[in-house]
Amino acid sequence: MNYKSAFLLRCPAIPKVRIALVGLGNRGTKTLVRYAFIDNAEISCIVDVDSQRLARANKLLRDSGRKEALTLCGPDAWKEACQLPDIDLIYICTEWRTHTQMAVHAMRCGKHVAVEVPAATTVEECWLLVHTAEQTQRHCFMTENCCYDYFALETLEMHRRGLFGEITHCEGAYIHDLSTDNECGESNTSWIERGCLTHGGNPYPTHGIGPIGQLLGFHRTDRMLRLVSMTSAGAKEAGLPLGRVNTTLIQTERGVSIMLQLDVTTHRPYNRLQTVCGTKAFVQKYPLPTVNDGEECFTGDAAERYMSQFDAADAAQLLRKGEAMKVPNAMNYAMDARLIYCLNNGLPLDIDVYDAAEWSCLTELTRISAQNGCKPVEIPVFCPNMSQK
C-alpha cells in the first residue's frame, strides 16, 4: 500500500470546529467543561453508554451558558456520531482498548480525530492508524497533555536556541500512585491501574516519551531505534501482582539514550522526571526543578524563574491565558486550544499520527522485551519522511 504521507498534513480550515465527544467518564467530562473556555469550537454531540452521564453532561453545558448537545446512547452510538454530516472532529475519551477502532472508523467517515492516550495498544494498531490517516488525509491527534507542560515547552525553546549543545540523554516517567488518587478512575483501583498491573511492560508510555519525542524531533531529525525493558515482579495480593515498576531504555539513531519509567502502584511521590542532559546544560523538573546552564545551578523557584524566560511558544501563551481565565488544568486547555487553532487555520498539528504511533507502539514493545529476558526489540519506522533520509 502506497498512500500519500500525512507528515505536515494541511487540511481545509474549519472556522468553527463541531465536536462529537465520545465517552463521558472522568476525562470526557473534564474535556466537556474545558471547552467552555475555547473559542471557535463547540460540543455538538455527546456519546456514552450511560444515559445518566449524558444527562449530567447536558446540564454542564447548560450551566456554562452553552446549548445542549445531541445525545447518542449505547455501545455502538459512537458509530452513529461518525456519520453525522455536521461534525468535524470526533474526540475520543473512552478506555484505551477502544481507541484505535474508534479513531480508524471516524477517519474513514471523513472526520478528524482527537484521541486520548495511548492511541493504540499494539504495533498492528499503530500501523492501522498510520495507514488510515494517510489514506483518508484526516488528522489523528493524540491528546498528550504533558507536551503542553510549561517546563516541557520551555525546554523545547532552550533546545531550539542551541542552549543544550548536543543532547546526550533524556528521562521521562509516569510515577503516580493511583491506588490512593482517584483522578484517573472511579474506584480505588482504576482501570488504568488494573491494566498496568497485568500488562507486563509499560502500557502507558506517552506521558514520559511525548515531550522527549518532540524535543529530539522523532521522524524529523531523529528516531527511536531499539529498546530493552524490565518489569519488577511485584508482591502478590488476591492473585494479582502489586508494586510493579517498569523501566525501559531506548537508543535513538543519533545516539541519544532515553530512560522511561512507569509506576502507578507503589507509594512514590508523583514524578514525571522530565530530565534533559546536554553538553552545555542540564534541566530536570521533578522532584525539584533544577537547571544548570554551564555557569550556574538553579533549583526550586529560582529554576522556574530561569526557565520562564523561554516562554516563547504559542502554546505557552495559551497556558498563561488559561491560568488567567482560571480554567481547570491550564495544561489541558493549552493542548485543546492549540488543536482548535490549528484546525481553524488549516495548519499541521503539533502532534501528528506518526507521533501517536511512535509513542504508542512502546506499549507492546516494552512488554515483548520484558517478557523475553530484556531482549532488545527494534522499533518500526512509521513515517515515510524518516525512512527516506
Side-chain angles (χ1 to χ4, degrees), residues 15-278:
K16 187 169 187 176
V17 180
R18 298 161 299 180
I19 302 168
L21 180 60
V22 182
L24 293 165
N26 186 283
R27 288 295 295 173
T29 299
K30 289 181 176 180
T31 299
L32 181 138
V33 170
R34 189 164 63 247
Y35 266 84
F37 299 88
I38 295 176
D39 296 330
N40 302 318
E42 68 176 16
I43 306 293
S44 302
C45 176
I46 49 178
V47 185
D48 202 274
V49 295
D50 186 335
S51 60
Q52 292 183 342
R53 286 181 175 178
L54 290 167
R56 184 177 68 221
N58 259 336
K59 183 179 185 303
L60 288 169
L61 288 172
R62 292 194 307 271
D63 291 347
S64 63
R66 292 175 284 174
K67 65 181 181 181
E68 290 191 4
L70 171 68
T71 60
L72 298 175
C73 188
D76 293 319
W78 61 273
K79 293 181 180 179
E80 187 178 346
C82 294
Q83 297 290 341
L84 294 173
D86 57 349
I87 292 297
D88 306 300
L89 176 70
I90 304 294
Y91 201 120
I92 301 167
C93 292
T94 56
E95 62 101 350
W96 58 43
R97 290 174 296 180
T98 62
H99 288 177
T100 298
Q101 176 192 12
M102 291 181 175
V104 166
H105 186 78
M107 286 187 282
R108 288 175 177 169
C109 290
K111 311 302 185 187
H112 299 300
V113 172
V115 57
E116 270 290 346
V117 302
T121 60
T122 67
V123 173
E124 182 180 7
E125 286 185 343
C126 290
W127 278 116
L128 185 56
L129 286 174
V130 166
H131 290 153
T132 303
E134 292 175 340
Q135 184 180 24
T136 62
Q137 293 293 287
R138 298 291 89 185
H139 288 300
C140 182
F141 179 83
M142 186 169 65
T143 59
E144 181 40 76
N145 58 2
C146 292
C147 292
Y148 296 86
D149 169 274
Y150 267 127
F151 210 83
L153 293 168
E154 292 159 352
T155 301
L156 191 59
E157 181 62 21
M158 285 183 67
H159 181 45
R160 286 173 176 158
R161 298 186 192 183
L163 300 182
F164 284 107
E166 291 293 322
I167 294 177
T168 59
H169 177 74
C170 297
E171 297 178 4
Y174 187 63
I175 298 169
H176 188 177
D177 181 8
L178 296 181
S179 66
T180 57
D181 188 332
N182 252 359
E183 181 181 352
C184 294
E186 296 179 347
S187 66
N188 284 337
T189 304
S190 72
W191 59 265
I192 291 180
E193 185 188 0
R194 291 193 298 271
C196 293
L197 285 172
T198 58
H199 181 268
N202 182 344
Y204 204 61
T206 68
H207 288 332
I209 196 62
I212 294 172
Q214 293 200 318
L215 184 72
L216 298 182
F218 289 170
H219 72 260
R220 296 164 179 88
T221 58
D222 202 356
R223 74 175 187 90
M224 295 182 286
L225 285 179
R226 64 185 60 86
L227 63 79
V228 294
S229 184
M230 175 185 294
T231 301
S232 65
K236 296 282 185 177
E237 182 177 297
L240 286 177
L242 298 174
R244 302 186 87 170
V245 179
N246 176 268
T247 301
T248 297
L249 298 176
I250 300 170
Q251 182 183 37
T252 78
E253 190 170 71
R254 297 185 68 174
V256 180
S257 59
I258 301 169
M259 186 194 78
L260 295 183
Q261 275 204 335
L262 177 75
D263 178 4
V264 300
T265 53
T266 70
H267 297 304
R268 296 161 73 184
Y270 184 90
N271 193 334
R272 296 203 310 271
L273 292 175
Q274 292 186 230
T275 303
V276 181
C277 304

Side-chain angles (χ1 to χ4, degrees), residues 292-305:
N292 188 324
D293 64 1
E295 296 182 0
E296 192 172 355
C297 186
F298 306 89
T299 59
D301 292 343
E304 292 186 339
R305 286 194 296 272

